[in-house]
Amino acid sequence: MMSSQGSFKHQYGPWALIAGGSEGIGLAFAELLAQRGINLVLLSRNDQKLSDARATIRRQSAVDVRCIRIDLSGDDYMPSVIQATADIEIGLLIYNAGAVHGAELFLDQDVTSATHLVNLNCRGPVLLAHHFGRLMRNRRRGGMILLSSMAALAGGSYIATYAATKSFDIVFAQSLWHELKSDNIDVLGLIAGATATPAMAASGFDLSQGDEDGAPVFMSSVAVAQEGLDNLKNGPIRVAGEGNRAALDWFSSLPRAELVELMSQATADLYQKNR
């Protein structure tokens, strides 16, 4: 009988490709997959972070790690990705890129800030899912995890394009889940809330802060990634974290206008905006 780890590797191995895999949730996914013996392809635009991620993983395991430096908001990276993976089988695609850095009103930003997020959060997963999904379908096995955000559950001021594009990822994951389940390809849209990542720390947030009861506000990257892997077969959607799932239940009971106002206020508070 095949072990659970062997079964996982058969379904989602021998290689996983992680877009945005050099730090935060993406790196947590990489470390957890390496523990399961899955080889890794990491995509990021930062050479130093990729190098550091490779060194971290190789200290912990003996898996192969390939790093590809690309800008996922650009237009011409797919030929490089295809060439770099032509000789290997990607059994798991994780699209983790697409964090928002800072917040501004839509009309107060240069429009390129918005189109950057559209490319990163919409065009990127479409291109990678189409290419690697076809290869998975030919092999009749595989999996995809598309990361989204609690911000996608309603529109809100200051992160209008980010929220909208992350909503795209939820609907896209749901659609692919239904289309590909008959081909033995598991698809999960993983919705993360506030998570303790280097990007959040760089934005000036106190990642150690707690709520009124002293419970941590920010989930760990490892906890989010672990929940994604544990629920890959339980698509189409998983909200990471008990507190976030409770919040979702509450959100669903609110009138839409009230929810948009609430999300806008929460964003303003988070980024210390005067409304």
Side-chain angles (χ1 to χ4, degrees):
M1 178 180 291
M2 189 179 296
S3 67
S4 59
Q5 182 162 309
S7 176
F8 185 96
K9 191 173 182 178
H10 174 76
Q11 175 68 16
Y12 306 120
W15 289 79
L17 184 145
I18 306 175
S22 63
E23 65 176 15
I25 297 172
L27 180 57
F29 269 117
E31 293 179 280
L32 291 171
L33 289 168
Q35 292 171 15
R36 296 176 183 242
I38 305 291
N39 301 310
L40 301 164
V41 179
L42 307 180
L43 308 186
S44 173
R45 63 182 178 180
N46 188 301
D47 268 330
Q48 185 58 55
K49 290 180 181 178
L50 282 170
S51 178
D52 292 344
R54 181 198 284 119
T56 296
I57 294 164
R58 285 184 170 167
R59 282 195 299 268
Q60 300 170 353
S61 67
V63 300
D64 289 334
V65 183
R66 294 186 182 182
C67 295
I68 308 174
R69 187 184 68 80
I70 56 171
D71 182 356
L72 289 162
S73 67
D75 296 324
D76 57 354
Y77 57 81
M78 278 307 296
S80 297
V81 174
I82 292 171
Q83 182 179 4
T85 58
D87 61 328
I88 56 178
E89 290 185 2
I90 302 295
L92 180 60
L93 167 65
I94 299 176
Y95 199 93
N96 172 68
V100 64
H101 300 286
E104 295 292 341
L105 296 174
F106 177 70
L107 295 182
D108 291 344
Q109 301 177 62
D110 191 293
V111 73
T112 56
S113 298
T115 55
H116 170 93
L117 284 174
V118 171
N119 284 341
L120 189 62
N121 293 340
C122 302
R123 187 172 182 270
V126 165
L127 290 175
L128 291 173
H130 190 267
H131 174 71
F132 291 108
R134 283 186 162 185
L135 298 175
M136 292 176 191
R137 185 176 62 178
N138 290 342
R139 297 191 295 268
R140 296 194 59 78
R141 61 179 177 82
M144 301 182 193
I145 299 177
L146 307 182
L147 269 290
S148 186
S149 166
M150 293 287 285
L153 302 179
S157 293
Y158 302 108
I159 53 170
T161 306
Y162 176 76
T165 56
K166 282 301 186 181
S167 181
F168 173 93
D169 293 332
I170 292 174
V171 176
F172 188 46
Q174 291 172 329
S175 302
L176 293 182
W177 170 82
H178 194 268
E179 287 190 9
L180 299 176
K181 61 182 180 178
S182 62
D183 295 307
N184 193 34
I185 300 170
D186 301 314
V187 180
L188 179 70
L190 180 61
I191 301 176
T195 306
T197 65
M200 291 297 286
S203 296
F205 295 110
D206 177 8
L207 302 184
S208 65
Q209 65 182 289
D211 61 18
E212 294 177 354
D213 299 320
V217 171
F218 292 87
M219 286 185 68
S220 73
S221 295
V222 173
V224 174
Q226 187 67 67
E227 197 160 337
L229 294 177
D230 289 345
N231 289 278
L232 184 46
K233 286 189 174 294
N234 302 325
I237 297 297
R238 176 73 177 186
V239 177
E242 218 174 288
N244 291 326
R245 289 191 290 276
L248 177 60
D249 289 341
W250 181 56
F251 290 167
S252 65
S253 69
L254 297 176
R256 180 55 52 165
E258 186 176 339
L259 179 55
V260 172
E261 180 64 33
L262 180 68
M263 296 292 274
S264 299
Q265 184 60 59
T267 303
D269 292 343
L270 193 63
Y271 286 95
Q272 301 178 346
K273 299 290 183 180
N274 294 318
R275 302 184 68 239

